[in-house]
Amino acid sequence: MASSSDPWMKEYTEASKLVDDISSMIADRSSLPQSGPEIMRHTSAIRRKITILGTRLDSLVTLLSRIPPKSLTDKEMHKRQDALSNLKSKAKQMGTSFNVSNFANREDLLGQSKKAADDMSRVAGLDNQGIVGLQRQVMREQDEGLERLEETVLSTKHIALAVNEELTLHTRLIDDLEDHVDVTNSRLQRVQKRLAILNKRAKGGCSCMCLMLSVAAIVLLAVIVWLLIKYL
């Protein structure tokens, strides 16, 4: 393919990396518990990345359609189309597995399937010059449709990235909160153990004090009795 400085190649490289990341996350998912907050967060992260992948694929389609015909050889153009088709197939499979339904047919988004019959009727009865004019008009309409789609894709991409950043932040906050709760619980258990030890020591010290006072009282009483007997 062409140089990595090519905008299409840059976007394709990012999309390929994203596919690899999603594949790795899907593989890691099998090692997680089947239920609980951990797998829910992991699955949510996978779905967010699949959504972002969809916007990147739409961007690749737009960039490829805007490449001047003579700037690439037919062989290079076919390579890019095949590579994009391969990414689309992987993305569609991932989206289906995780119920992410944002991989609609591009032609349906542009309304081409509904316009096919109308285009055929518009060609009927035209001479060569009229057909050329009609082709130019159709090309202008397609360009306008691509521009509108590009704006929608970019807007969706920005929204998805913003949501992704927000969810990532909330996930970090929740993880930090869980860590703080664990630390606080550990400290509380240590304090409870120390209090129990102090309580036992306090009880033991009270018993010893009572015994010592009792012995002292008995000794004092014995001395008093002895004195009374001696001097009386």
Side-chain angles (χ1 to χ4, degrees):
M1 292 187 184
S3 170
S4 58
S5 61
D6 183 351
W8 191 92
M9 281 302 304
K10 287 183 178 180
E11 191 71 18
Y12 175 78
T13 301
E14 294 298 325
S16 297
K17 289 180 180 178
L18 191 55
V19 169
D20 293 339
D21 290 343
I22 296 171
S23 299
S24 178
M25 292 178 68
I26 293 174
D28 294 340
R29 186 174 180 270
S30 60
S31 62
L32 297 176
Q34 295 300 314
S35 60
E38 186 176 2
I39 194 170
M40 290 176 64
R41 289 196 298 267
H42 194 78
T43 302
S44 179
I46 292 174
R47 287 175 176 165
R48 290 197 300 271
K49 284 185 176 290
I50 293 175
T51 302
I52 296 173
L53 176 60
T55 64
R56 287 197 176 278
L57 293 178
D58 289 337
S59 179
L60 281 171
V61 173
T62 302
L63 290 173
L64 190 61
S65 66
R66 292 193 170 188
I67 295 176
K70 295 182 179 180
S71 62
L72 294 177
T73 63
D74 291 341
K75 183 178 180 180
E76 177 65 21
M77 179 61 73
H78 287 314
K79 278 186 178 180
R80 295 192 179 195
Q81 290 173 346
D82 291 341
L84 180 56
S85 178
N86 185 35
L87 284 183
K88 280 184 175 182
S89 177
K90 291 180 180 179
K92 184 176 181 180
Q93 184 178 1
M94 293 173 178
T96 302
S97 300
F98 288 87
N99 297 323
V100 181
S101 57
N102 65 329
F103 298 100
N105 187 283
R106 184 177 177 80
E107 291 184 354
D108 289 341
L109 289 175
L110 293 174
Q112 298 299 323
S113 58
K114 296 180 180 179
K115 293 170 61 180
D118 293 338
D119 290 342
M120 292 298 295
S121 63
R122 291 164 68 183
V123 173
L126 294 178
D127 55 12
N128 291 337
Q129 185 176 359
I131 293 176
V132 171
L134 178 60
Q135 288 176 341
R136 291 176 179 174
Q137 180 181 350
V138 171
M139 290 176 65
R140 284 195 301 269
E141 293 174 354
Q142 290 177 343
D143 288 340
E144 292 173 357
L146 288 172
E147 290 176 357
R148 289 194 298 270
L149 180 61
E150 182 182 17
E151 293 175 357
T152 302
V153 168
L154 291 175
S155 176
T156 304
K157 177 181 178 180
H158 293 155
I159 292 173
L161 291 175
V163 171
N164 181 41
E165 292 177 358
E166 188 71 19
L167 290 174
T168 301
L169 175 60
H170 284 293
T171 301
R172 290 177 182 173
L173 292 174
I174 292 173
D175 291 338
D176 291 341
L177 179 61
E178 290 177 350
D179 293 338
H180 287 309
V181 169
D182 292 338
V183 171
T184 303
N185 186 39
S186 178
R187 290 178 178 174
L188 181 60
Q189 290 178 354
R190 288 199 298 268
V191 171
Q192 288 177 341
K193 289 180 180 179
R194 291 177 182 175
L195 288 175
I197 293 172
L198 291 175
N199 188 31
K200 289 181 179 179
R201 289 179 179 177
K203 289 181 179 179
C206 181
S207 300
C208 292
M209 183 64 69
C210 291
L211 180 61
M212 291 175 64
L213 290 174
S214 299
V215 171
I218 292 172
V219 171
L220 181 60
L221 182 61
V223 171
I224 293 174
V225 172
W226 180 80
L227 291 174
L228 290 175
I229 294 173
K230 182 177 179 180
Y231 295 102
L232 291 178

